[in-house]
Amino acid sequence: MPIAAKLAALTHRNVLKSLRNPDIVIFATAAPAAFALLFAFVFGSAMEMSGGAYRDFIVAGMLVQTILLTSTNTGIGLALDSKHGMMDRFRSLPVSPVSVVTARVNSDLLVNVVVVIILALVGLAMGWRIRTGPLEAAAGFGLLLLFAYALSWVSAWIGLKVRSPEVLSNVSMLVTLPLAFVSTAFVPTEGMPRPMRAAAEWNPVSAVVTGVRNLFGNVPEASPTSDVLPLQYPVIAGLLAILATLAIFVPLAARSYVTAHTR
C-alpha cells in the first residue's frame, strides 16, 4: 500500500474517532466562546481604545488562544493510544513512525477548522467584522491554521514523552495560559511593565495574533507603531516561527514515537 494511502487510512481512523466523540469539538468551542463574550461585553466595557472597537481587537486573540488550548488534543490523543496499547499495534504494521503522528496531527487540524469556523461565527454575532478583502481574510485564517498545525506537532512530541494523558492536560495549562496572556492577544503592550512588555513583544503568539489582526483589518487606527521587528512585520515573523517549530518538532515527534515504545 502506498504511503499516501496508509496516511489517509490512519487520518480517517482518527477523524472517525473524533466524530464519535463530538464533545471534543463542543467543549473545545464552548469555553473560548464564553471567554469571547466575557471579554467583549464585560472587560470590553471598561476598555478605552481610541480609533477601534475592542470587539474587533479581541477576536484575533480569542482565535489564537483557542488554537493554543485545542492543540493539546493531539498530545492527549497520542498518550491515550499509547496507554491503551494502540501504538504497539501500529508498530507491528509496515507504517513509518512519522505517518502515525502525521495522521493524528492532520485529523486534529480538521477539528481546528471546525472550531475556528464556529468561533468566527460567534465573533460575527457579537459585532466583529473583517474589514479587508477576501484574499486577506483567507490569508488570516490560513495563518491561524498553520499555527495550529505547528502547535499540534509540539503537543505530539510532549504527548509521546509523558506517561499519562493527565500529566499533559495539567502541564498544558501552565504553558498555554502565560503564552496567551503575556502577548498582544487581549491588550496592547504599551501599558505593561517593561520586562513583561519585552516578553510579550517577542512572544511568537504576539506575532501571529498581530499578523491575523492586520490581515483582518482589526488594528485600531490610533495604535502606535511598534519598534520591535516581529511586530513591525508580524505575518513574516509568524510564518518564520511556524517553520522553525515544524523544523524542530516534526523530527523530534517522529523519534519520540520510536523511543517511547522501545523503553
Side-chain angles (χ1 to χ4, degrees):
M1 183 182 292
I3 294 176
K6 295 176 183 178
L7 180 59
L10 289 169
T11 302
H12 183 254
R13 174 252 177 192
N14 290 321
V15 170
L16 287 178
K17 188 177 178 181
S18 297
L19 290 175
R20 290 168 184 164
N21 295 277
D23 53 325
I24 294 175
V25 177
I26 293 171
F27 285 107
T29 309
F35 273 117
L37 294 172
L38 285 172
F39 272 88
F41 294 102
V42 178
F43 299 128
S45 62
M47 294 293 295
E48 294 182 3
M49 300 190 69
S50 57
Y54 187 64
R55 293 175 198 173
D56 278 354
F57 182 87
I58 197 65
V59 168
M62 292 306 309
L63 287 167
V64 173
Q65 185 201 36
T66 300
I67 284 171
L68 281 168
L69 294 174
T70 57
S71 67
T72 60
N73 291 337
T74 304
I76 292 173
L78 289 171
L80 281 171
D81 281 345
S82 179
K83 184 177 180 179
H84 295 155
M86 285 301 301
M87 289 301 183
D88 294 329
R89 296 184 184 181
F90 291 147
R91 289 189 72 245
S92 68
L93 299 174
V95 179
S96 66
V98 72
S99 295
V100 176
V101 185
T102 302
R104 179 71 212 195
V105 172
N106 289 348
S107 63
D108 287 336
L109 180 62
L110 296 176
V111 173
N112 277 318
V113 170
V114 175
V115 171
V116 166
I117 290 173
I118 294 174
L119 192 56
L121 292 174
V122 172
L124 290 171
M126 69 184 193
W128 166 69
R129 294 293 182 270
I130 295 175
R131 306 188 186 282
T132 53
L135 291 178
E136 291 89 346
F141 285 114
L143 183 60
L144 277 171
L145 295 175
L146 282 174
F147 190 52
Y149 189 74
L151 288 176
S152 286
W153 280 101
V154 179
S155 178
W157 175 67
I158 298 172
L160 291 167
K161 285 292 185 182
V162 300
R163 295 187 179 273
S164 70
E166 293 79 9
V167 174
L168 177 58
S169 181
N170 293 330
V171 170
S172 64
M173 297 300 291
L174 296 175
V175 176
T176 57
L177 288 181
L179 280 174
F181 282 95
V182 185
S183 71
T184 59
F186 303 111
V187 294
T189 61
E190 288 76 24
M192 296 181 181
R194 184 168 295 179
M196 186 175 291
R197 177 177 179 177
E201 290 175 335
W202 287 93
N203 183 350
V205 172
S206 293
V208 174
V209 170
T210 306
V212 171
R213 199 172 277 144
N214 287 350
L215 290 168
F216 287 164
N218 295 151
V219 179
E221 295 176 3
S223 178
T225 302
S226 175
D227 56 355
V228 178
L229 197 60
L231 297 186
Q232 289 180 338
Y233 306 97
V235 176
I236 296 174
L239 288 173
L240 289 175
I242 290 167
L243 291 175
T245 301
L246 291 172
I248 294 170
F249 286 98
V250 170
L252 282 178
R255 187 179 307 168
S256 295
Y257 171 81
V258 176
T259 59
H261 302 284
T262 55
R263 285 198 294 258

